[in-house]
Amino acid sequence: SNLNDVKIATTNATLFAYLADGKEGLKVIQLTDPERTPNFYGFSPEVKPKVIATRKTHGPALAISKPLDRDRAVDESGNQVSVFGRLGSRPFTLEEMRKLWVRPDGQVYTVDN
């Protein structure tokens, strides 16, 4: 294995590491989660790495792109629950978010691969 890049991200209450693992391809490692890490809300929770996904790539996986940092938290209905940094603008409403994954004809955007 020849690890080339790592990006860390939190989704809800779970911490993930996304790895560009050279000739091994891409890997997703679950570092914490509420079921396996009871004190995951603490300042420095115990990390319990678990490989949850792998994907072979056509060539060696060299890098992983970094998404934009989210600076506002919203619930599933689009209601703002927190502001992490910047003040002034607002998060998308539920209808505005739906436009990101639902076509004007009502069909969900999909890809073949």
Side-chain angles (χ1 to χ4, degrees):
S1 179
N2 184 23
L3 183 62
N4 293 300
D5 194 12
V6 176
K7 295 293 186 282
I8 304 295
T10 300
T11 302
N12 296 335
T14 304
L15 182 64
F16 296 98
Y18 300 89
L19 285 61
D21 199 17
K23 67 180 182 175
E24 300 296 318
L26 300 174
K27 291 182 182 174
V28 179
I29 311 294
Q30 188 175 29
L31 299 172
T32 66
D33 68 87
E35 290 78 30
R36 295 180 317 114
T37 316
N39 298 320
F40 69 99
Y41 281 129
F43 176 74
S44 183
E46 180 183 357
V47 175
K48 295 184 177 179
K50 176 182 176 184
V51 176
I52 61 167
T54 61
R55 176 71 180 192
K56 290 288 184 186
T57 52
H58 295 289
L62 301 176
I64 297 178
S65 63
K66 182 180 182 303
L68 293 175
D69 292 323
R70 187 177 73 180
D71 64 356
R72 284 171 199 78
V74 296
D75 62 19
E76 291 82 0
S77 300
N79 299 308
Q80 187 169 350
V81 295
S82 180
V83 175
F84 299 118
R86 198 174 36 171
L87 298 173
S89 59
R90 63 170 176 76
F92 287 144
T93 65
L94 179 58
E95 186 53 37
E96 289 167 335
M97 287 189 283
R98 283 181 52 79
K99 291 178 183 178
L100 298 173
W101 72 84
V102 178
R103 297 174 185 267
D105 65 3
Q107 298 295 311
V108 175
Y109 286 103
T110 61
V111 295
D112 293 331
N113 185 355

